[in-house]
Amino acid sequence: MSVMPLAGWDREESPFHTGEIAIQRRLGIDEKMDRAGRRGIRTYMPDQHREFFAELPFILVGSVDAAGQPWASILAGRPGFLDTPDERTLTIAAQPLPGDPATLVPGAAIGLLGIEPPTRRRNRANGVVTKADAGGLTVAIQQSFGNCPKYIQARAPEPVETTPGAPRVSPGLDAADRALMAATDTFFIATAHLSGDAGSGADVSHRGGKPGFVRVEGNRLTVPDFIGNFMFNTLGNLALEPRAGLLFPDYATGDLLYLAATGEIVWEGPEVASFEGAQRLMRLDVSQAIRLPGALPFRWSEPEYSLALERTGVWMPERS
């Protein structure tokens, strides 16, 4: 690879869209984040990101279907299945798993999260699908930036052969779904704002916490939003387009639970104050659940929890 300088944002308009800027302004950090975004967000993938992606055995993807519903997905392959023939192009030699609801066609917006749980490294890229066939995808990169390691649980993946069960599709959550989410320490959320502005597109983000950080009541989830990088990619999208797609992996069984939901931001009040470490909350109402039994082609080591979680809480059980 040729060595490129780590120049920042090379366009006059902001790297953030109106929803992200509105939240930054609400918190009085819009000018600070404009400067930080222009330094840290690029219109190409720097060499260190290209090398990092090439070593990964999986990638998280955010996409939007024909009805406008975002979905979070995982694509997997042998290290090297992610390649960057140049700094503005990423190829993915994989397709979504059978039963995955993602719609990945030429012209589709796509969000990408490269994450390495054993080291807690993660880098982000957003762009547009330019080619899609049985061999995989080609993506034109529009944004590339790093993320901090906070809230990521260190666990090592071991590739395994899988024999997935039949998908289960339902309009809501069952007892097994609720048990998985109530015990989880990690999930992924896809959101989108497709205005065509420089900062718009599809996004997929990581959310981590202590087991018990997701509260499940019927088909409603309540999740704390901890202090982060102040970009507000997820919340900025939700402020303009409330639909979201969630992906909950079951690290023990390999099940994948995909959810379509509608979200809102809870900015303040007793619920926010009651959750240690919460800056605000996301409230998500589930309208569809898809479970792919045994579909995740990895088994995982026991987690080593992020030290950042020491300053966060869990939801207290409901009293009967």
Side-chain angles (χ1 to χ4, degrees), residues 193-212:
H193 172 52
L194 304 181
S195 68
D197 296 342
S200 68
D203 177 76
V204 62
S205 293
H206 165 277
R207 288 292 186 271
K210 295 175 182 175

Side-chain angles (χ1 to χ4, degrees), residues 1-7 40-53 84 86-88 123-125 141 143-146:
M1 295 181 183
S2 61
V3 177
M4 293 189 63
L6 295 182
I41 300 175
R42 305 175 182 90
T43 57
Y44 64 90
M45 295 181 71
D47 290 345
Q48 61 181 332
H49 290 197
R50 296 170 67 187
E51 293 164 0
F52 173 68
F53 274 65
T84 49
D86 60 66
E87 66 274 8
R88 299 180 190 272
N123 289 308
R124 303 270 284 277
I141 299 299
Q143 288 193 337
S144 174
F145 53 97

Side-chain angles (χ1 to χ4, degrees), residues 45 52-53 56-62 72-75 81-82 90 92 110-117 120-126 143 145-148 152 186-190 202-207 229 233-234:
M45 295 181 71
F52 173 68
F53 274 65
L56 297 176
F58 66 90
I59 189 170
L60 280 302
V61 170
S73 306
I74 185 168
L75 278 63
F81 86 108
L82 301 170
L90 176 71
I92 306 173
I110 187 170
L112 304 163
L113 171 61
I115 186 167
E116 189 175 59
R120 298 187 170 95
R121 291 180 64 194
R122 58 176 161 175
N123 289 308
R124 303 270 284 277
N126 300 326
Q143 288 193 337
F145 53 97
N147 270 173
C148 72
I152 298 174
T186 300
F187 73 93
F188 302 93
I189 179 167
D203 177 76
V204 62
S205 293
H206 165 277
R207 288 292 186 271
N229 58 20
N233 304 122
T234 296

Side-chain angles (χ1 to χ4, degrees), residues 120-308:
R120 298 187 170 95
R121 291 180 64 194
R122 58 176 161 175
N123 289 308
R124 303 270 284 277
N126 300 326
V128 175
V129 177
T130 58
K131 181 181 177 182
D133 56 30
L137 311 169
T138 301
V139 178
I141 299 299
Q142 295 177 330
Q143 288 193 337
S144 174
F145 53 97
N147 270 173
C148 72
K150 285 200 297 283
Y151 317 119
I152 298 174
Q153 317 335 325
R155 46 168 53 95
E158 182 67 30
V160 295
E161 294 293 327
T162 60
T163 306
R168 178 189 63 78
V169 182
S170 69
L173 304 170
D174 65 15
D177 297 338
R178 296 186 182 100
L180 168 60
M181 290 182 288
T184 197
D185 58 50
T186 300
F187 73 93
F188 302 93
I189 179 167
T191 55
H193 172 52
L194 304 181
S195 68
D197 296 342
S200 68
D203 177 76
V204 62
S205 293
H206 165 277
R207 288 292 186 271
K210 295 175 182 175
F213 85 112
V214 177
R215 185 171 69 191
V216 188
E217 300 170 297
N219 289 319
R220 170 169 285 184
L221 314 181
T222 306
V223 184
D225 186 63
F226 301 134
I227 192 168
N229 58 20
F230 301 109
M231 292 185 179
F232 297 111
N233 304 122
T234 296
L235 298 190
N237 285 341
L238 287 179
L240 300 175
E241 167 51 68
R243 285 180 288 185
L246 284 65
L247 177 63
F248 286 83
D250 187 324
Y251 290 109
T253 67
D255 286 11
L256 291 171
L257 178 62
Y258 301 76
L259 304 178
T262 300
E264 65 173 324
I265 305 166
V266 180
W267 290 101
E268 55 192 5
E271 276 189 305
V272 178
S274 71
F275 197 105
E276 184 182 0
Q279 304 291 298
R280 56 204 68 85
L281 306 174
M282 289 189 296
R283 184 169 287 140
L284 299 145
D285 291 310
V286 175
S287 57
Q288 187 179 21
I290 303 171
R291 184 183 279 261
L292 303 185
L296 186 61
F298 303 99
R299 294 298 179 266
W300 303 79
S301 65
E302 290 298 311
E304 295 180 15
Y305 291 108
S306 168
L307 294 178

